[in-house]
Amino acid sequence: MILQIMKFFLDTANLKEINEARSLGILDGVTTNPSLIAKETINKKEIKNHYISICNIMRNEEDVSAEVISTNYEDMIKEGEKLSLLHPRIVVKIPMIHDGIKAIKYLSNKNIKTNCTLIFSPGQALLASKVGAYYVSPFVGRIDDVSYNGLNLIKEIKKIYDNYNFKTKILAASIRHPLHITECSKIGIYAITSPISVIKSLLNHPLTKIGLDKFLMDYQKIR
Ligand code: G3P
């Protein structure tokens, strides 16, 4: 049973875009990654404060995924613990690799929320959930890019999680166009994370514009 409408996370580290989504009233959380951080005009020393600035825009249950750079277990857990101490809203993003699985297990045992990223197969999502990931991030658009069907992966993961009542939340990432969003909501997943441009493109329909132009024109005819 779906208890609430699909959440809209913003896939960005840009404060202006996050504030715009807030003012539109559609913001439920934020996901970042090293590529998105690199687009911002900040240096490495400013990254931690930048995460805090993003967290400070969040409200209620909203959270912010911040990704570790390390790729070995010891460093990942140290980095993950440090990230989680930056702000209570931080979710530690961990890549789907051998040591990443161990790090997710360690962090989730310590009640630190994790987002297992770079998910491209149902088996990866199964493993992430088994070790207690709070979110999994399957990359829909990047699967489409290599001529497979990204949305099929979302359906497969949903089926597996439903079979066993896994608590891990599906956060569809690499969202490239409005149909990715509406199809994910038909599948009934917890959330998508998307650039604001794609979310805003949900607004558009040519008949809406034609209809509004006519209403406004007809209003002018009223004496
Ligand atoms: O957050 C990761 C994911 O959303 C990346 O998207 O468009 O770079 O494939 P994209």
Side-chain angles (χ1 to χ4, degrees), residues 11 31-33 36 93 117 139 142 173-176 193:
D11 200 24
T31 56
T32 65
N33 62 39
L36 293 170
K93 219 173 180 187
T117 189
F139 279 30
R142 290 194 196 180
S174 190
I175 294 291
R176 302 279 176 73
T193 184

Side-chain angles (χ1 to χ4, degrees), residues 6-177:
M6 187 176 75
K7 290 188 183 290
F8 282 26
F9 284 43
L10 220 58
D11 200 24
T12 186
N14 187 276
L15 300 178
K16 203 172 149 222
E17 288 177 7
I18 297 167
N19 279 312
E20 186 185 354
R22 165 69 68 224
S23 72
L24 267 173
I26 49 92
L27 186 65
D28 293 316
V30 167
T31 56
T32 65
N33 62 39
S35 309
L36 293 170
I37 292 283
K39 286 187 186 166
E40 300 306 303
T41 49
I42 51 172
N43 60 44
K44 285 199 172 78
K45 284 186 185 149
E46 294 168 316
I47 295 176
K48 289 189 176 90
N49 278 337
H50 195 76
Y51 285 139
I52 294 169
S53 302
I54 297 174
C55 287
N56 286 336
I57 305 174
M58 301 296 113
R59 295 177 190 158
N60 307 322
E61 302 303 309
E62 298 163 2
D63 59 41
V64 177
S65 289
E67 190 160 339
V68 299
I69 303 305
S70 318
T71 53
N72 69 73
Y73 173 69
E74 293 298 338
D75 291 340
M76 272 178 166
I77 61 172
K78 265 188 234 154
E79 207 186 329
E81 281 177 326
K82 276 190 195 157
L83 282 171
S84 75
L85 290 173
L86 282 181
H87 199 285
R89 294 189 186 277
I90 291 282
V91 172
V92 180
K93 219 173 180 187
I94 304 272
M96 166 43 72
I97 54 176
H98 177 277
D99 281 24
I101 289 299
K102 289 166 64 181
I104 290 169
K105 181 81 183 172
Y106 173 90
L107 294 169
S108 59
N109 280 344
K110 293 205 136 200
N111 286 324
I112 295 173
K113 286 182 182 169
T114 56
N115 175 350
C116 187
T117 189
L118 291 164
I119 296 283
F120 294 95
S121 76
Q124 291 179 322
L126 182 60
L127 264 182
S129 192
K130 245 184 125 47
V131 290
Y134 187 77
Y135 294 117
V136 277
S137 290
F139 279 30
V140 180
R142 290 194 196 180
I143 293 175
D144 290 353
D145 287 346
V146 292
S147 303
Y148 287 84
N149 187 332
L151 288 165
N152 273 350
L153 172 63
I154 301 296
K155 284 182 198 153
E156 288 178 299
I157 298 172
K158 176 84 167 50
K159 169 87 177 114
I160 292 169
Y161 285 7
D162 285 352
N163 281 350
Y164 299 103
N165 207 14
F166 278 155
K167 289 195 171 51
T168 304
K169 297 172 191 307
I170 303 171
L171 173 51
S174 190
I175 294 291
R176 302 279 176 73
H177 54 75

Side-chain angles (χ1 to χ4, degrees), residues 165-223:
N165 207 14
F166 278 155
K167 289 195 171 51
T168 304
K169 297 172 191 307
I170 303 171
L171 173 51
S174 190
I175 294 291
R176 302 279 176 73
H177 54 75
L179 275 181
H180 276 158
I181 300 181
T182 50
E183 290 301 317
C184 279
S185 71
K186 286 190 210 165
I187 298 166
I189 59 168
Y190 179 79
I192 52 95
T193 184
S194 164
I196 193 161
S197 55
V198 181
I199 294 175
K200 285 200 292 188
S201 63
L202 289 171
L203 277 166
N204 300 330
H205 196 290
L207 291 178
T208 303
K209 171 150 178 40
I210 291 167
L212 181 61
D213 287 349
K214 180 157 169 40
F215 284 154
L216 295 178
M217 221 166 57
D218 289 344
Y219 180 78
Q220 296 306 322
K221 295 176 194 159
I222 303 171
R223 286 196 304 134

